[in-house]
Amino acid sequence: MNSEIKIGGLTLKNPITVASGTAGYGEELSGYMDISKIGAIFTKGLSLEPRKGNAGNRIIETPAGVLNSIGLENVGLEKFLNEKLPFIKKSGAVAIPNIAGHSIEENIELCRILSETDGIDAVELNVSCPNVKQGGIAFGTDLDIFSDLLRKARKVTKCALIVKLSPNVTDVTSFAVAAEREGVDAISAINTFLGMKINTRTRRPHFNNKVAGLSGPAIKPMALRIVYQVCSRVKIPVIGLGGISNFEDILEFLMAGATAISIGTMNMIDPAVSEKMVAELERYMNEEKIESIYEIIGSAQDK
Amino acid sequence: MATLLEKPVTVAKDHYLLKIKADKSGSLPGQFINIKAGEGFDPLLRRPFSIFNAHEDVLDVVIRVIGKGTSLISRMEPGFIDIVGPTGKGFTMENDKNLLLVGGGVGNAPLLYLMRALKENGNRLTYIYCARSSDYIFLEDEYRKYADELIITTDDGSAGIKGFATDVMSHVISDGKFDRVYTCGPDPMMHRVVKLVHENVPVEVSVENYFGCGVGLCVGCTVDTVDGYRRACVDGPVFDGRKILWENMPR
């Protein structure tokens, strides 16, 4: 039984990963599970300098979902390399840093430095955060800026380059096709959907930034649909995410064509859920006599 | 696997006491547990509750019903209960000191466990218990057990002294004879307590803002402090009250 999957030159021991922004820097999860058991940890979106994130309310629950407006609070590159990455490496886990710079230049600089860092074999470029004013979603919703950023990032990135797509566009597949054309190794689909909450007591938006990102089981059918459409248009691996809450959801994303999946919001409800899902996958592959995980990847696509 | 030992008991208007047998012993005053309300995805997130009292692996929790999640928890049947924790940074312990505790509403809950531990360490304790009205005062006898002096204030005067404690008891709160002050309750109350406490006296607060994960992953429950943002769930919920930038607290 082989659950290994490949992303560019990187091999992950299984397709189950945890999504950026819901897994801290691995250390927080390690109190509840063995972080070396899962395929990879996408760490919190990183900038060159530490970022404070958004003021005011940052999170609120919705039916089967969560709206967040964290604003990419992070420790900055230096502290990440000196304090956060060593812990993940020492634990025997795989870290995939999520890069979330303000500008094209900052993103490229982060791609260059991180991809040359020992122990980092893939980076994920976040062009889809809805919660920051500069950068973020602007890179992920304009096809020309998006392609330009990826072209420049590809040149300086020495390891596998993953790009995380925004669902907040008319046609996500056109961004996926552009990413493949620019030589990106894999696509993460998708980031949060734009949403909103109004406080009826104050008669004002709940979040200072007005809009926020919706995640959780509520978005799963939409995320699955996008992943299915993206996988039908590109040959590079797709990491599927969006509202995955149980093993059945994981199978759906794999069958839609995702080579790997990320668990996001559910880590917040059960910080050990990803390790449990690895055990579920093992049981399922044994029961179904599946030799290689690739036997089920994309099975729902028309041949 | 944790077990709810009996049906939640009403202890005051909208307030319930839960007795939970955890799968391991060990908790500190000021720590909290995250409870999953119901089985499905709505409500999705866990609800954090500070520990009211603990005896080995049995944790007592007082909850206030404010919405769907807490309502579901208040109507739970004995048996399996899905909890994460105890977790979080607790209160600073003291020995043989004069101490003041000020609790507001359900914020009185963590201060009972704290008070019991402080009493065992030979401290002399003054406790100001603030509530909206007499209907909302829970388990008063438990507080009387450990407090050397218990002062009750209610907004409407239906029990104890009428008015906000930070108005009618301001002379006690600002009294320099205390070696440390602890407070838990609504943000405006805690902020006023912090401002009243004599500048040479340390003051600790336990914040109760909206949590996402409760385990440090999501950075959703941040508190703005003089040292930058801190996560209430893992860097707190107990903080040095003077380090919090109260004007930046989310509303």
Side-chain angles (χ1 to χ4, degrees):
Chain A
M1 189 197 84
N2 187 356
S3 60
E4 282 181 3
I5 57 108
K6 274 188 172 309
I7 293 170
L10 172 66
T11 301
L12 302 184
K13 59 175 74 97
N14 62 61
I16 294 166
T17 72
V18 286
S20 177
T22 64
Y25 300 99
E27 201 169 343
E28 296 86 349
L29 281 177
S30 69
Y32 299 91
M33 60 174 274
D34 178 354
I35 59 172
S36 73
K37 287 280 198 288
I38 58 174
I41 297 164
F42 288 88
T43 55
K44 180 76 187 160
L46 202 59
S47 43
L48 280 174
E49 298 301 322
R51 195 183 267 177
K52 255 192 112 174
N54 292 340
N57 290 308
R58 287 180 162 200
I59 204 151
I60 196 165
E61 193 179 53
T62 67
V66 173
L67 276 169
N68 88 80
S69 179
I70 309 295
L72 294 171
E73 173 174 346
N74 78 90
V75 297
L77 178 66
E78 194 181 324
K79 196 167 174 185
F80 175 77
L81 293 176
N82 294 335
E83 293 175 27
K84 303 299 181 185
L85 184 61
F87 178 88
I88 297 175
K89 281 163 70 177
K90 194 180 74 202
S91 306
V94 174
I96 303 181
N98 178 284
I99 294 173
H102 277 294
S103 61
I104 289 197
E105 293 70 31
E106 186 180 1
N107 280 314
I108 288 167
E109 186 66 355
L110 284 159
C111 282
R112 187 183 65 75
I113 297 169
L114 287 164
S115 71
E116 288 171 355
T117 300
D118 194 34
I120 293 177
D121 297 313
V123 293
E124 179 183 62
L125 194 50
N126 182 357
V127 294
S128 42
C129 178
N131 296 327
V132 290
K133 289 205 170 59
Q134 292 175 301
I137 205 161
F139 297 125
T141 53
D142 182 310
L143 204 49
D144 292 333
I145 299 173
F146 177 79
S147 300
D148 181 49
L149 171 64
L150 293 186
R151 198 170 308 135
K152 288 169 175 160
R154 178 70 280 179
K155 272 194 198 127
V156 300
T157 306
K158 313 282 191 297
C159 63
L161 175 63
I162 305 166
V163 64
K164 187 167 184 176
L165 300 182
S166 169
N168 303 304
V169 294
T170 310
D171 178 18
V172 183
T173 63
S174 59
F175 286 79
V177 168
E180 185 173 49
R181 193 178 56 229
E182 298 302 338
V184 163
D185 294 293
I187 287 163
S188 288
I190 43 80
N191 208 320
T192 54
F193 285 82
L194 277 177
M196 195 173 184
K197 166 77 184 168
I198 289 170
N199 182 334
T200 53
R201 186 175 47 82
T202 62
R203 304 181 181 184
R204 293 288 303 156
H206 177 74
F207 296 105
N208 289 2
N209 200 35
K210 297 188 175 72
V211 298
L214 181 66
S215 65
I219 70 166
K220 198 214 86 181
M222 297 186 287
L224 183 67
R225 182 267 299 172
I226 292 170
V227 167
Y228 187 87
Q229 289 176 329
V230 166
C231 290
S232 71
R233 294 283 305 276
V234 298
K235 293 198 173 60
I236 54 175
V238 172
I239 299 148
L241 75 158
I244 291 175
S245 69
N246 55 37
F247 186 64
E248 176 81 9
D249 293 344
I250 292 175
L251 285 179
E252 283 194 73
F253 275 83
L254 293 174
M255 290 173 182
T259 300
I261 62 91
S262 292
I263 296 170
T265 300
M266 280 314 277
N267 296 315
M268 294 167 55
I269 292 108
D270 179 1
V273 66
S274 56
E275 187 182 8
K276 290 174 189 166
M277 291 299 112
V278 171
E280 282 277 304
L281 179 65
E282 210 167 291
R283 185 192 55 75
Y284 174 81
M285 288 179 74
N286 279 326
E287 270 177 24
E288 300 286 319
K289 299 189 174 36
I290 295 166
E291 286 296 316
S292 159
I293 190 76
Y294 281 95
E295 288 172 32
I296 57 169
I297 292 171
S299 68
Q301 293 278 350
D302 296 332
K303 295 290 176 274
Chain B
M1 216 168 75
T3 309
L4 181 66
L5 294 175
E6 53 195 65
K7 260 188 95 69
V9 179
T10 308
V11 290
K13 189 179 178 191
D14 301 336
H15 290 66
Y16 295 81
L17 174 70
L18 276 65
K19 286 192 173 296
I20 298 163
K21 190 171 163 39
D23 50 12
K24 58 181 192 305
S25 292
S27 64
L28 298 168
Q31 287 194 312
F32 64 94
I33 57 171
N34 296 294
I35 302 180
K36 177 83 177 88
E39 282 181 2
F41 296 140
D42 186 20
L44 182 64
L45 297 174
R46 289 171 185 275
R47 299 293 187 264
F49 301 102
S50 57
I51 299 166
F52 170 75
N53 208 345
H55 296 93
E56 289 174 6
D57 60 350
V58 176
L59 305 171
D60 293 354
V61 168
V62 173
I63 71 162
R64 178 167 68 106
V65 172
I66 52 167
K68 186 176 174 181
T70 44
S71 173
L72 280 168
I73 293 169
S74 76
R75 289 181 276 121
M76 278 184 75
E77 291 296 326
F80 172 68
I81 184 166
D82 184 356
I83 69 167
V84 169
T87 186
K89 191 179 140 287
F91 292 103
T92 302
M93 276 298 136
E94 292 284 9
N95 293 291
D96 194 26
K97 298 271 172 60
N98 289 312
L99 304 170
L100 173 68
L101 300 91
V102 185
V106 75
N108 282 290
L111 298 181
L112 187 279
Y113 187 20
L114 171 67
M115 187 157 64
R116 196 189 104 200
L118 292 171
K119 194 68 205 167
E120 284 164 7
N121 287 356
N123 296 289
R124 292 163 299 281
L125 308 171
T126 300
Y127 195 106
I128 304 178
Y129 190 116
C130 321
R132 211 185 308 173
S133 68
S134 60
D135 305 351
Y136 289 94
I137 298 172
F138 56 84
L139 301 158
E140 186 182 331
D141 290 348
E142 288 292 310
Y143 290 84
R144 291 212 180 276
K145 225 187 263 181
Y146 306 109
D148 294 289
E149 186 185 9
L150 182 74
I151 302 160
I152 291 175
T153 70
T154 52
D155 301 355
D156 66 357
S158 53
I161 300 161
K162 182 179 176 172
F164 291 134
T166 44
D167 297 332
V168 295
M169 285 295 117
S170 61
H171 59 288
V172 176
I173 296 168
S174 58
D175 194 329
K177 76 171 181 184
F178 295 109
D179 297 302
R180 186 184 285 277
V181 175
Y182 304 91
T183 183
C184 182
D187 290 344
M189 184 201 94
M190 293 197 290
H191 185 195
R192 284 201 293 271
V193 169
V194 170
K195 282 197 285 195
L196 283 169
V197 173
H198 191 276
E199 59 180 8
N200 297 329
V201 179
V203 51
E204 278 187 338
V205 305
S206 179
V207 299
E208 41 180 30
N209 47 339
Y210 201 92
F211 282 18
C213 65
V215 293
L217 296 168
C218 73
V219 213
C221 61
T222 40
V223 173
D224 203 1
T225 75
V226 293
D227 304 318
Y229 282 134
R230 291 288 177 268
R231 292 165 296 182
C233 65
V234 289
D235 302 318
V238 175
F239 291 94
D240 176 344
R242 294 203 178 85
K243 288 199 166 181
I244 291 178
L245 300 172
W246 292 95
E247 60 281 9
N248 294 348
M249 276 298 217
R251 267 173 265 279

